[in-house]
Short mmCIF file of all heavy atoms in Angstrom, two decimals:
data_model
loop_
_atom_site.label_atom_id
_atom_site.label_comp_id
_atom_site.label_asym_id
_atom_site.label_seq_id
_atom_site.Cartn_x
_atom_site.Cartn_y
_atom_site.Cartn_z
N MET A 1 -10.45 -22.85 -83.32
CA MET A 1 -11.86 -22.70 -83.50
C MET A 1 -12.36 -21.44 -82.76
O MET A 1 -13.09 -20.60 -83.29
CB MET A 1 -12.59 -23.93 -83.00
CG MET A 1 -14.09 -23.89 -83.24
SD MET A 1 -14.85 -25.50 -83.19
CE MET A 1 -14.10 -26.20 -81.72
N THR A 2 -11.95 -21.29 -81.51
CA THR A 2 -12.34 -20.16 -80.71
C THR A 2 -11.10 -19.43 -80.21
O THR A 2 -11.08 -18.97 -79.05
CB THR A 2 -13.27 -20.53 -79.57
OG1 THR A 2 -12.55 -21.48 -78.77
CG2 THR A 2 -14.58 -21.12 -80.03
N ASP A 3 -10.11 -19.28 -81.07
CA ASP A 3 -8.91 -18.63 -80.63
C ASP A 3 -9.10 -17.23 -80.17
O ASP A 3 -8.56 -16.79 -79.14
CB ASP A 3 -7.88 -18.64 -81.77
CG ASP A 3 -7.19 -20.01 -81.89
OD1 ASP A 3 -7.37 -20.83 -81.04
OD2 ASP A 3 -6.49 -20.23 -82.90
N SER A 4 -9.89 -16.46 -80.91
CA SER A 4 -10.11 -15.07 -80.53
C SER A 4 -10.75 -14.93 -79.13
O SER A 4 -10.41 -14.08 -78.36
CB SER A 4 -10.98 -14.41 -81.57
OG SER A 4 -12.25 -15.02 -81.69
N GLU A 5 -11.67 -15.85 -78.87
CA GLU A 5 -12.34 -15.76 -77.57
C GLU A 5 -11.37 -16.14 -76.44
O GLU A 5 -11.44 -15.59 -75.36
CB GLU A 5 -13.54 -16.72 -77.55
CG GLU A 5 -14.67 -16.15 -78.44
CD GLU A 5 -15.92 -17.02 -78.27
OE1 GLU A 5 -15.94 -17.92 -77.38
OE2 GLU A 5 -16.89 -16.81 -79.03
N ASP A 6 -10.53 -17.09 -76.72
CA ASP A 6 -9.56 -17.51 -75.71
C ASP A 6 -8.65 -16.37 -75.39
O ASP A 6 -8.38 -16.10 -74.20
CB ASP A 6 -8.71 -18.69 -76.25
CG ASP A 6 -9.55 -19.97 -76.24
OD1 ASP A 6 -10.58 -19.94 -75.55
OD2 ASP A 6 -9.14 -20.96 -76.85
N LYS A 7 -8.18 -15.63 -76.40
CA LYS A 7 -7.34 -14.51 -76.09
C LYS A 7 -8.04 -13.44 -75.29
O LYS A 7 -7.47 -12.85 -74.43
CB LYS A 7 -6.79 -13.91 -77.46
CG LYS A 7 -5.79 -14.81 -78.12
CD LYS A 7 -5.40 -14.17 -79.48
CE LYS A 7 -4.40 -15.11 -80.21
NZ LYS A 7 -4.11 -14.58 -81.56
N LYS A 8 -9.30 -13.21 -75.68
CA LYS A 8 -10.05 -12.17 -74.94
C LYS A 8 -10.16 -12.54 -73.43
O LYS A 8 -10.01 -11.67 -72.59
CB LYS A 8 -11.46 -12.07 -75.52
CG LYS A 8 -12.11 -10.70 -75.25
CD LYS A 8 -13.56 -10.70 -75.74
CE LYS A 8 -13.63 -10.91 -77.22
NZ LYS A 8 -15.04 -11.00 -77.69
N THR A 9 -10.37 -13.80 -73.23
CA THR A 9 -10.48 -14.22 -71.80
C THR A 9 -9.14 -14.09 -71.07
O THR A 9 -9.12 -13.63 -69.95
CB THR A 9 -10.94 -15.71 -71.73
OG1 THR A 9 -12.16 -15.81 -72.44
CG2 THR A 9 -11.09 -16.14 -70.32
N ALA A 10 -8.10 -14.42 -71.79
CA ALA A 10 -6.78 -14.36 -71.16
C ALA A 10 -6.34 -12.93 -70.79
O ALA A 10 -5.57 -12.75 -69.95
CB ALA A 10 -5.77 -15.01 -72.06
N GLN A 11 -6.86 -11.97 -71.54
CA GLN A 11 -6.49 -10.61 -71.34
C GLN A 11 -7.07 -10.05 -70.06
O GLN A 11 -6.62 -9.00 -69.61
CB GLN A 11 -6.90 -9.69 -72.53
CG GLN A 11 -6.05 -9.95 -73.76
CD GLN A 11 -6.52 -9.15 -74.95
OE1 GLN A 11 -7.60 -8.59 -74.89
NE2 GLN A 11 -5.75 -9.14 -76.00
N ARG A 12 -8.11 -10.70 -69.50
CA ARG A 12 -8.68 -10.17 -68.29
C ARG A 12 -8.17 -11.00 -67.08
O ARG A 12 -8.63 -12.14 -66.89
CB ARG A 12 -10.18 -10.25 -68.33
CG ARG A 12 -10.79 -9.42 -67.24
CD ARG A 12 -12.26 -9.81 -66.99
NE ARG A 12 -13.00 -9.99 -68.21
CZ ARG A 12 -14.22 -10.49 -68.23
NH1 ARG A 12 -14.82 -10.83 -67.16
NH2 ARG A 12 -14.82 -10.62 -69.35
N PRO A 13 -7.21 -10.49 -66.36
CA PRO A 13 -6.72 -11.27 -65.23
C PRO A 13 -7.75 -11.42 -64.12
O PRO A 13 -8.51 -10.50 -63.86
CB PRO A 13 -5.53 -10.42 -64.72
CG PRO A 13 -5.86 -9.00 -65.14
CD PRO A 13 -6.67 -9.19 -66.44
N VAL A 14 -7.75 -12.58 -63.54
CA VAL A 14 -8.65 -12.82 -62.41
C VAL A 14 -7.92 -12.47 -61.11
O VAL A 14 -6.84 -12.94 -60.87
CB VAL A 14 -9.03 -14.29 -62.33
CG1 VAL A 14 -9.98 -14.53 -61.13
CG2 VAL A 14 -9.77 -14.65 -63.64
N ARG A 15 -8.52 -11.52 -60.40
CA ARG A 15 -7.81 -11.08 -59.14
C ARG A 15 -8.61 -11.65 -57.90
O ARG A 15 -9.82 -11.78 -57.97
CB ARG A 15 -7.86 -9.55 -59.06
CG ARG A 15 -7.12 -8.94 -60.21
CD ARG A 15 -7.15 -7.47 -60.13
NE ARG A 15 -5.81 -6.94 -60.23
CZ ARG A 15 -5.24 -6.25 -59.27
NH1 ARG A 15 -5.85 -5.95 -58.13
NH2 ARG A 15 -3.99 -5.78 -59.42
N PRO A 16 -7.85 -11.95 -56.91
CA PRO A 16 -8.49 -12.41 -55.66
C PRO A 16 -9.22 -11.30 -54.92
O PRO A 16 -8.80 -10.12 -55.01
CB PRO A 16 -7.31 -12.94 -54.83
CG PRO A 16 -6.17 -12.15 -55.31
CD PRO A 16 -6.40 -11.87 -56.74
N CYS A 17 -10.28 -11.66 -54.26
CA CYS A 17 -11.07 -10.67 -53.48
C CYS A 17 -10.16 -10.07 -52.40
O CYS A 17 -9.53 -10.82 -51.68
CB CYS A 17 -12.27 -11.37 -52.86
SG CYS A 17 -13.18 -10.34 -51.71
N PRO A 18 -10.09 -8.73 -52.30
CA PRO A 18 -9.24 -8.13 -51.25
C PRO A 18 -9.70 -8.49 -49.81
O PRO A 18 -8.91 -8.38 -48.89
CB PRO A 18 -9.44 -6.62 -51.46
CG PRO A 18 -9.94 -6.54 -52.89
CD PRO A 18 -10.76 -7.75 -53.13
N GLN A 19 -10.92 -8.83 -49.70
CA GLN A 19 -11.49 -9.20 -48.34
C GLN A 19 -11.18 -10.59 -47.98
O GLN A 19 -10.72 -10.84 -46.80
CB GLN A 19 -12.97 -8.90 -48.33
CG GLN A 19 -13.38 -7.47 -48.37
CD GLN A 19 -12.83 -6.68 -47.23
OE1 GLN A 19 -12.56 -7.20 -46.13
NE2 GLN A 19 -12.63 -5.40 -47.39
N CYS A 20 -11.43 -11.53 -48.80
CA CYS A 20 -11.38 -12.90 -48.33
C CYS A 20 -10.48 -13.79 -49.22
O CYS A 20 -10.16 -14.91 -48.89
CB CYS A 20 -12.79 -13.56 -48.33
SG CYS A 20 -13.49 -13.79 -49.98
N GLY A 21 -9.98 -13.22 -50.33
CA GLY A 21 -9.03 -13.98 -51.16
C GLY A 21 -9.66 -14.90 -52.14
O GLY A 21 -8.91 -15.46 -52.96
N LYS A 22 -11.01 -14.97 -52.17
CA LYS A 22 -11.63 -15.77 -53.19
C LYS A 22 -11.57 -15.08 -54.53
O LYS A 22 -11.30 -13.86 -54.61
CB LYS A 22 -13.13 -16.02 -52.82
CG LYS A 22 -13.27 -16.88 -51.63
CD LYS A 22 -14.76 -17.07 -51.37
CE LYS A 22 -14.98 -17.94 -50.10
NZ LYS A 22 -16.43 -18.05 -49.77
N LEU A 23 -11.82 -15.78 -55.61
CA LEU A 23 -11.79 -15.18 -56.90
C LEU A 23 -12.89 -14.11 -57.05
O LEU A 23 -13.99 -14.40 -56.64
CB LEU A 23 -11.96 -16.23 -58.00
CG LEU A 23 -10.80 -17.21 -58.13
CD1 LEU A 23 -11.04 -18.20 -59.30
CD2 LEU A 23 -9.48 -16.53 -58.31
N SER A 24 -12.57 -12.96 -57.58
CA SER A 24 -13.55 -11.92 -57.68
C SER A 24 -14.51 -12.16 -58.79
O SER A 24 -14.17 -12.87 -59.79
CB SER A 24 -12.83 -10.57 -57.89
OG SER A 24 -12.07 -10.65 -59.12
N LEU A 25 -15.71 -11.60 -58.68
CA LEU A 25 -16.67 -11.67 -59.78
C LEU A 25 -16.82 -10.34 -60.42
O LEU A 25 -16.60 -9.33 -59.75
CB LEU A 25 -18.06 -12.10 -59.13
CG LEU A 25 -18.15 -13.53 -58.62
CD1 LEU A 25 -19.54 -13.78 -58.11
CD2 LEU A 25 -17.81 -14.54 -59.66
N GLU A 26 -17.07 -10.36 -61.71
CA GLU A 26 -17.11 -9.14 -62.45
C GLU A 26 -18.19 -8.20 -61.90
O GLU A 26 -17.99 -6.94 -61.86
CB GLU A 26 -17.39 -9.40 -63.92
CG GLU A 26 -17.29 -8.18 -64.84
CD GLU A 26 -17.42 -8.58 -66.26
OE1 GLU A 26 -17.58 -9.79 -66.54
OE2 GLU A 26 -17.31 -7.70 -67.12
N ALA A 27 -19.28 -8.75 -61.42
CA ALA A 27 -20.45 -7.97 -60.94
C ALA A 27 -20.00 -7.20 -59.66
O ALA A 27 -20.57 -6.14 -59.38
CB ALA A 27 -21.63 -8.88 -60.64
N PHE A 28 -19.14 -7.73 -58.93
CA PHE A 28 -18.71 -7.08 -57.62
C PHE A 28 -17.24 -6.69 -57.67
O PHE A 28 -16.70 -6.34 -56.59
CB PHE A 28 -18.97 -8.07 -56.48
CG PHE A 28 -20.39 -8.53 -56.45
CD1 PHE A 28 -20.70 -9.83 -56.78
CD2 PHE A 28 -21.43 -7.68 -56.05
CE1 PHE A 28 -22.00 -10.28 -56.76
CE2 PHE A 28 -22.72 -8.12 -56.00
CZ PHE A 28 -22.99 -9.46 -56.36
N TYR A 29 -16.61 -6.68 -58.83
CA TYR A 29 -15.23 -6.39 -58.94
C TYR A 29 -14.80 -5.15 -58.10
O TYR A 29 -15.51 -4.19 -58.19
CB TYR A 29 -14.84 -6.17 -60.46
CG TYR A 29 -13.35 -6.04 -60.70
CD1 TYR A 29 -12.61 -7.16 -60.91
CD2 TYR A 29 -12.79 -4.80 -60.71
CE1 TYR A 29 -11.26 -7.05 -61.13
CE2 TYR A 29 -11.45 -4.68 -60.96
CZ TYR A 29 -10.67 -5.77 -61.16
OH TYR A 29 -9.35 -5.69 -61.43
N PRO A 30 -13.69 -5.22 -57.36
CA PRO A 30 -12.77 -6.33 -57.33
C PRO A 30 -13.09 -7.36 -56.26
O PRO A 30 -12.19 -8.13 -55.88
CB PRO A 30 -11.43 -5.64 -57.02
CG PRO A 30 -11.87 -4.51 -56.07
CD PRO A 30 -13.21 -4.08 -56.56
N PHE A 31 -14.33 -7.38 -55.80
CA PHE A 31 -14.67 -8.27 -54.71
C PHE A 31 -15.36 -9.53 -55.22
O PHE A 31 -15.79 -9.56 -56.44
CB PHE A 31 -15.57 -7.57 -53.69
CG PHE A 31 -14.89 -6.33 -53.13
CD1 PHE A 31 -15.25 -5.06 -53.66
CD2 PHE A 31 -13.97 -6.40 -52.14
CE1 PHE A 31 -14.64 -3.97 -53.16
CE2 PHE A 31 -13.38 -5.29 -51.66
CZ PHE A 31 -13.72 -4.05 -52.16
N CYS A 32 -15.55 -10.54 -54.37
CA CYS A 32 -16.13 -11.80 -54.80
C CYS A 32 -17.60 -11.75 -54.57
O CYS A 32 -18.33 -12.54 -55.21
CB CYS A 32 -15.52 -12.93 -54.02
SG CYS A 32 -16.07 -13.03 -52.34
N SER A 33 -18.13 -10.80 -53.81
CA SER A 33 -19.56 -10.80 -53.48
C SER A 33 -19.94 -9.44 -52.92
O SER A 33 -19.05 -8.63 -52.58
CB SER A 33 -19.87 -11.89 -52.46
OG SER A 33 -19.18 -11.56 -51.23
N LYS A 34 -21.23 -9.21 -52.86
CA LYS A 34 -21.75 -7.93 -52.32
C LYS A 34 -21.32 -7.83 -50.87
O LYS A 34 -21.07 -6.77 -50.36
CB LYS A 34 -23.24 -7.85 -52.45
CG LYS A 34 -23.81 -6.52 -52.11
CD LYS A 34 -25.32 -6.43 -52.32
CE LYS A 34 -25.82 -5.01 -52.11
NZ LYS A 34 -25.51 -4.49 -50.79
N ARG A 35 -21.33 -8.96 -50.19
CA ARG A 35 -20.97 -8.94 -48.78
C ARG A 35 -19.55 -8.35 -48.58
O ARG A 35 -19.35 -7.48 -47.72
CB ARG A 35 -21.03 -10.37 -48.20
CG ARG A 35 -20.62 -10.43 -46.71
CD ARG A 35 -20.75 -11.87 -46.20
NE ARG A 35 -20.17 -11.97 -44.92
CZ ARG A 35 -18.87 -12.18 -44.72
NH1 ARG A 35 -18.09 -12.28 -45.71
NH2 ARG A 35 -18.41 -12.26 -43.48
N CYS A 36 -18.59 -8.83 -49.34
CA CYS A 36 -17.26 -8.39 -49.24
C CYS A 36 -17.12 -6.91 -49.65
O CYS A 36 -16.38 -6.14 -49.03
CB CYS A 36 -16.25 -9.28 -50.03
SG CYS A 36 -15.96 -10.83 -49.23
N ALA A 37 -17.85 -6.49 -50.66
CA ALA A 37 -17.83 -5.11 -51.05
C ALA A 37 -18.42 -4.21 -49.94
O ALA A 37 -17.90 -3.14 -49.72
CB ALA A 37 -18.70 -4.96 -52.34
N ASP A 38 -19.45 -4.69 -49.28
CA ASP A 38 -20.07 -3.92 -48.19
C ASP A 38 -19.09 -3.85 -47.01
O ASP A 38 -18.96 -2.78 -46.39
CB ASP A 38 -21.36 -4.65 -47.75
CG ASP A 38 -22.50 -4.39 -48.71
OD1 ASP A 38 -22.36 -3.52 -49.57
OD2 ASP A 38 -23.50 -5.07 -48.59
N VAL A 39 -18.40 -4.90 -46.78
CA VAL A 39 -17.38 -4.92 -45.68
C VAL A 39 -16.36 -3.77 -45.93
O VAL A 39 -16.07 -3.05 -45.01
CB VAL A 39 -16.71 -6.25 -45.58
CG1 VAL A 39 -15.49 -6.13 -44.65
CG2 VAL A 39 -17.73 -7.30 -45.03
N ASP A 40 -15.89 -3.76 -47.17
CA ASP A 40 -14.88 -2.75 -47.50
C ASP A 40 -15.52 -1.35 -47.37
O ASP A 40 -14.88 -0.39 -46.86
CB ASP A 40 -14.36 -2.96 -48.88
CG ASP A 40 -13.14 -2.11 -49.19
OD1 ASP A 40 -12.09 -2.39 -48.60
OD2 ASP A 40 -13.28 -1.16 -49.94
N LEU A 41 -16.72 -1.20 -47.93
CA LEU A 41 -17.38 0.13 -47.81
C LEU A 41 -17.57 0.60 -46.42
O LEU A 41 -17.29 1.76 -46.05
CB LEU A 41 -18.70 0.07 -48.55
CG LEU A 41 -19.49 1.34 -48.57
CD1 LEU A 41 -18.75 2.41 -49.37
CD2 LEU A 41 -20.89 1.09 -49.21
N ASN A 42 -18.06 -0.33 -45.60
CA ASN A 42 -18.29 0.03 -44.18
C ASN A 42 -16.99 0.44 -43.49
O ASN A 42 -16.97 1.29 -42.65
CB ASN A 42 -18.91 -1.17 -43.40
CG ASN A 42 -20.33 -1.41 -43.86
OD1 ASN A 42 -21.00 -0.49 -44.30
ND2 ASN A 42 -20.79 -2.65 -43.72
N ARG A 43 -15.90 -0.25 -43.88
CA ARG A 43 -14.63 0.05 -43.31
C ARG A 43 -14.18 1.53 -43.64
O ARG A 43 -13.72 2.23 -42.80
CB ARG A 43 -13.57 -0.93 -43.75
CG ARG A 43 -12.28 -0.81 -42.92
CD ARG A 43 -11.40 -2.00 -43.24
NE ARG A 43 -10.96 -2.06 -44.58
CZ ARG A 43 -10.29 -3.02 -45.11
NH1 ARG A 43 -10.02 -4.09 -44.41
NH2 ARG A 43 -9.90 -3.04 -46.37
N TRP A 44 -14.42 1.86 -44.90
CA TRP A 44 -14.08 3.25 -45.30
C TRP A 44 -15.01 4.25 -44.64
O TRP A 44 -14.57 5.29 -44.18
CB TRP A 44 -14.19 3.36 -46.85
CG TRP A 44 -13.03 2.78 -47.53
CD1 TRP A 44 -12.96 1.63 -48.29
CD2 TRP A 44 -11.68 3.32 -47.60
NE1 TRP A 44 -11.76 1.41 -48.79
CE2 TRP A 44 -10.91 2.42 -48.38
CE3 TRP A 44 -11.08 4.44 -47.03
CZ2 TRP A 44 -9.57 2.65 -48.58
CZ3 TRP A 44 -9.74 4.66 -47.27
CH2 TRP A 44 -8.99 3.77 -48.08
N LEU A 45 -16.29 3.96 -44.58
CA LEU A 45 -17.26 4.87 -43.99
C LEU A 45 -16.95 5.08 -42.51
O LEU A 45 -17.08 6.17 -41.95
CB LEU A 45 -18.65 4.33 -44.15
CG LEU A 45 -19.23 4.35 -45.58
CD1 LEU A 45 -20.60 3.76 -45.64
CD2 LEU A 45 -19.19 5.83 -46.11
N SER A 46 -16.55 4.00 -41.79
CA SER A 46 -16.26 4.08 -40.45
C SER A 46 -14.96 4.86 -40.20
O SER A 46 -14.80 5.52 -39.17
CB SER A 46 -16.17 2.72 -39.82
OG SER A 46 -14.98 2.06 -40.28
N GLY A 47 -14.12 4.88 -41.15
CA GLY A 47 -12.85 5.61 -41.10
C GLY A 47 -11.93 5.09 -40.00
O GLY A 47 -11.01 5.76 -39.58
N SER A 48 -12.16 3.93 -39.65
CA SER A 48 -11.35 3.33 -38.51
C SER A 48 -11.40 1.85 -38.57
O SER A 48 -12.36 1.23 -38.96
CB SER A 48 -11.85 3.81 -37.19
OG SER A 48 -11.15 3.13 -36.13
N TYR A 49 -10.38 1.22 -38.07
CA TYR A 49 -10.35 -0.23 -37.99
C TYR A 49 -10.80 -0.64 -36.56
O TYR A 49 -10.76 -1.81 -36.21
CB TYR A 49 -8.93 -0.79 -38.25
CG TYR A 49 -8.55 -0.63 -39.67
CD1 TYR A 49 -7.69 0.37 -40.06
CD2 TYR A 49 -8.99 -1.50 -40.61
CE1 TYR A 49 -7.27 0.53 -41.38
CE2 TYR A 49 -8.59 -1.39 -41.96
CZ TYR A 49 -7.69 -0.33 -42.31
OH TYR A 49 -7.35 -0.23 -43.60
N SER A 50 -11.16 0.33 -35.74
CA SER A 50 -11.44 0.00 -34.32
C SER A 50 -12.80 -0.73 -34.19
O SER A 50 -13.08 -1.28 -33.17
CB SER A 50 -11.47 1.28 -33.52
OG SER A 50 -12.46 2.18 -33.92
N VAL A 51 -13.62 -0.67 -35.22
CA VAL A 51 -14.93 -1.31 -35.19
C VAL A 51 -15.00 -2.37 -36.31
O VAL A 51 -15.53 -2.12 -37.38
CB VAL A 51 -16.08 -0.35 -35.29
CG1 VAL A 51 -17.38 -1.07 -35.18
CG2 VAL A 51 -15.95 0.79 -34.32
N PRO A 52 -14.34 -3.51 -36.13
CA PRO A 52 -14.26 -4.46 -37.17
C PRO A 52 -15.59 -5.06 -37.50
O PRO A 52 -16.42 -5.36 -36.61
CB PRO A 52 -13.36 -5.53 -36.61
CG PRO A 52 -13.48 -5.40 -35.13
CD PRO A 52 -13.69 -3.93 -34.88
N VAL A 53 -15.89 -5.21 -38.78
CA VAL A 53 -17.19 -5.75 -39.20
C VAL A 53 -16.96 -7.27 -39.61
O VAL A 53 -17.90 -7.97 -39.82
CB VAL A 53 -17.79 -5.03 -40.42
CG1 VAL A 53 -18.27 -3.71 -39.96
CG2 VAL A 53 -16.77 -4.91 -41.54
N VAL A 54 -15.66 -7.62 -39.69
CA VAL A 54 -15.39 -9.02 -39.88
C VAL A 54 -14.29 -9.40 -38.93
O VAL A 54 -13.46 -8.57 -38.51
CB VAL A 54 -14.89 -9.33 -41.31
CG1 VAL A 54 -15.99 -9.10 -42.36
CG2 VAL A 54 -13.66 -8.44 -41.68
N GLU A 55 -14.29 -10.66 -38.48
CA GLU A 55 -13.27 -11.09 -37.57
C GLU A 55 -12.07 -11.66 -38.32
O GLU A 55 -12.14 -12.68 -38.96
CB GLU A 55 -13.89 -12.14 -36.63
CG GLU A 55 -14.89 -11.58 -35.70
CD GLU A 55 -15.40 -12.63 -34.75
OE1 GLU A 55 -14.70 -13.65 -34.56
OE2 GLU A 55 -16.48 -12.45 -34.13
N LEU A 56 -11.01 -10.91 -38.35
CA LEU A 56 -9.79 -11.37 -39.01
C LEU A 56 -8.63 -11.22 -38.02
O LEU A 56 -8.51 -10.24 -37.28
CB LEU A 56 -9.49 -10.54 -40.21
CG LEU A 56 -10.37 -10.79 -41.45
CD1 LEU A 56 -9.97 -9.80 -42.55
CD2 LEU A 56 -10.14 -12.22 -41.94
N GLU A 57 -7.80 -12.23 -37.99
CA GLU A 57 -6.57 -12.16 -37.23
C GLU A 57 -5.58 -11.23 -37.91
O GLU A 57 -5.59 -11.10 -39.09
CB GLU A 57 -5.95 -13.56 -37.05
CG GLU A 57 -6.88 -14.52 -36.34
CD GLU A 57 -7.14 -14.13 -34.91
OE1 GLU A 57 -6.29 -13.54 -34.29
OE2 GLU A 57 -8.25 -14.42 -34.41
N PRO A 58 -4.73 -10.57 -37.11
CA PRO A 58 -3.70 -9.72 -37.75
C PRO A 58 -2.88 -10.41 -38.81
O PRO A 58 -2.51 -9.85 -39.80
CB PRO A 58 -2.83 -9.29 -36.54
CG PRO A 58 -3.72 -9.41 -35.36
CD PRO A 58 -4.68 -10.55 -35.67
N GLU A 59 -2.63 -11.70 -38.55
CA GLU A 59 -1.88 -12.50 -39.51
C GLU A 59 -2.64 -12.54 -40.81
O GLU A 59 -2.08 -12.57 -41.92
CB GLU A 59 -1.62 -13.87 -38.99
CG GLU A 59 -0.62 -13.91 -37.84
CD GLU A 59 -1.31 -13.54 -36.55
OE1 GLU A 59 -2.51 -13.39 -36.53
OE2 GLU A 59 -0.61 -13.34 -35.53
N ASP A 60 -3.98 -12.67 -40.76
CA ASP A 60 -4.79 -12.74 -41.98
C ASP A 60 -4.71 -11.48 -42.74
O ASP A 60 -4.64 -11.47 -43.97
CB ASP A 60 -6.19 -13.04 -41.61
CG ASP A 60 -6.44 -14.46 -41.07
OD1 ASP A 60 -5.58 -15.34 -41.40
OD2 ASP A 60 -7.37 -14.64 -40.27
N LEU A 61 -4.76 -10.35 -42.05
CA LEU A 61 -4.66 -9.06 -42.72
C LEU A 61 -3.29 -8.89 -43.42
O LEU A 61 -3.24 -8.39 -44.55
CB LEU A 61 -4.87 -7.90 -41.70
CG LEU A 61 -6.23 -7.82 -41.10
CD1 LEU A 61 -6.34 -6.79 -40.03
CD2 LEU A 61 -7.31 -7.57 -42.20
N GLU A 62 -2.28 -9.35 -42.78
CA GLU A 62 -0.94 -9.29 -43.39
C GLU A 62 -0.92 -10.17 -44.62
O GLU A 62 -0.32 -9.77 -45.64
CB GLU A 62 0.15 -9.72 -42.36
CG GLU A 62 0.31 -8.72 -41.26
CD GLU A 62 1.33 -9.17 -40.28
OE1 GLU A 62 2.01 -10.19 -40.57
OE2 GLU A 62 1.52 -8.50 -39.26
N GLU A 63 -1.52 -11.28 -44.51
CA GLU A 63 -1.54 -12.22 -45.65
C GLU A 63 -2.26 -11.58 -46.88
O GLU A 63 -1.82 -11.67 -48.01
CB GLU A 63 -2.18 -13.52 -45.25
CG GLU A 63 -2.34 -14.53 -46.41
CD GLU A 63 -1.04 -15.01 -47.00
OE1 GLU A 63 0.01 -14.89 -46.27
OE2 GLU A 63 -0.99 -15.43 -48.12
N LEU A 64 -3.39 -11.00 -46.56
CA LEU A 64 -4.21 -10.35 -47.62
C LEU A 64 -3.42 -9.23 -48.25
O LEU A 64 -3.40 -9.05 -49.48
CB LEU A 64 -5.49 -9.83 -47.07
CG LEU A 64 -6.55 -10.91 -46.72
CD1 LEU A 64 -7.76 -10.32 -46.05
CD2 LEU A 64 -6.96 -11.65 -47.95
N ALA A 65 -2.74 -8.45 -47.42
CA ALA A 65 -1.96 -7.28 -47.95
C ALA A 65 -0.83 -7.81 -48.84
O ALA A 65 -0.52 -7.28 -49.87
CB ALA A 65 -1.37 -6.52 -46.81
N ARG A 66 -0.26 -8.89 -48.42
CA ARG A 66 0.84 -9.48 -49.19
C ARG A 66 0.30 -9.96 -50.54
O ARG A 66 0.94 -9.76 -51.58
CB ARG A 66 1.44 -10.67 -48.40
CG ARG A 66 2.92 -10.88 -48.78
CD ARG A 66 3.51 -11.97 -47.87
NE ARG A 66 3.30 -11.71 -46.48
CZ ARG A 66 2.92 -12.67 -45.60
NH1 ARG A 66 2.71 -13.91 -46.00
NH2 ARG A 66 2.76 -12.35 -44.34
N ARG A 67 -0.87 -10.62 -50.56
CA ARG A 67 -1.44 -11.09 -51.82
C ARG A 67 -1.74 -9.93 -52.76
O ARG A 67 -1.52 -10.02 -53.96
CB ARG A 67 -2.78 -11.85 -51.56
CG ARG A 67 -2.53 -13.19 -50.87
CD ARG A 67 -3.80 -13.95 -50.90
NE ARG A 67 -3.84 -15.02 -49.88
CZ ARG A 67 -4.92 -15.74 -49.59
NH1 ARG A 67 -6.02 -15.53 -50.26
NH2 ARG A 67 -4.86 -16.67 -48.69
N GLN A 68 -2.23 -8.80 -52.20
CA GLN A 68 -2.55 -7.67 -53.04
C GLN A 68 -1.29 -7.07 -53.68
O GLN A 68 -1.28 -6.74 -54.83
CB GLN A 68 -3.26 -6.61 -52.21
CG GLN A 68 -4.71 -6.97 -51.87
CD GLN A 68 -5.39 -5.79 -51.16
OE1 GLN A 68 -5.21 -5.65 -49.96
NE2 GLN A 68 -6.13 -5.10 -51.82
N GLU A 69 -0.22 -7.04 -52.89
CA GLU A 69 1.03 -6.55 -53.43
C GLU A 69 1.55 -7.44 -54.56
O GLU A 69 2.12 -6.96 -55.56
CB GLU A 69 2.05 -6.45 -52.33
CG GLU A 69 1.73 -5.32 -51.35
CD GLU A 69 2.76 -5.31 -50.19
OE1 GLU A 69 3.69 -6.06 -50.24
OE2 GLU A 69 2.64 -4.45 -49.29
N GLU A 70 1.37 -8.73 -54.35
CA GLU A 70 1.83 -9.65 -55.38
C GLU A 70 0.99 -9.63 -56.63
O GLU A 70 1.37 -10.02 -57.72
CB GLU A 70 1.90 -11.08 -54.83
CG GLU A 70 2.94 -11.25 -53.73
CD GLU A 70 2.86 -12.61 -53.15
OE1 GLU A 70 1.95 -13.39 -53.44
OE2 GLU A 70 3.76 -12.90 -52.31
N GLY A 71 -0.30 -9.16 -56.46
CA GLY A 71 -1.19 -9.10 -57.57
C GLY A 71 -1.78 -10.44 -57.84
O GLY A 71 -2.04 -10.82 -58.95
ZN1 LIG B 101 -14.62 -11.91 -50.83
#
């Protein structure tokens, strides 16, 4: 009945937010929210990790990096 629509949906993979791992929203892709997008932007603007805008343990960062590599 809606085969064509199902295929269209399947062609768009859902990626986890690089910041928090939640499912990303199209409006903020590849992030889940404006907050996470801002966090990433601030990190780039600051040009350094020495002023963290979010509190993440090193283990969490490694986990996020691993998830991104896995896709
Ligand atoms: Zn997020």
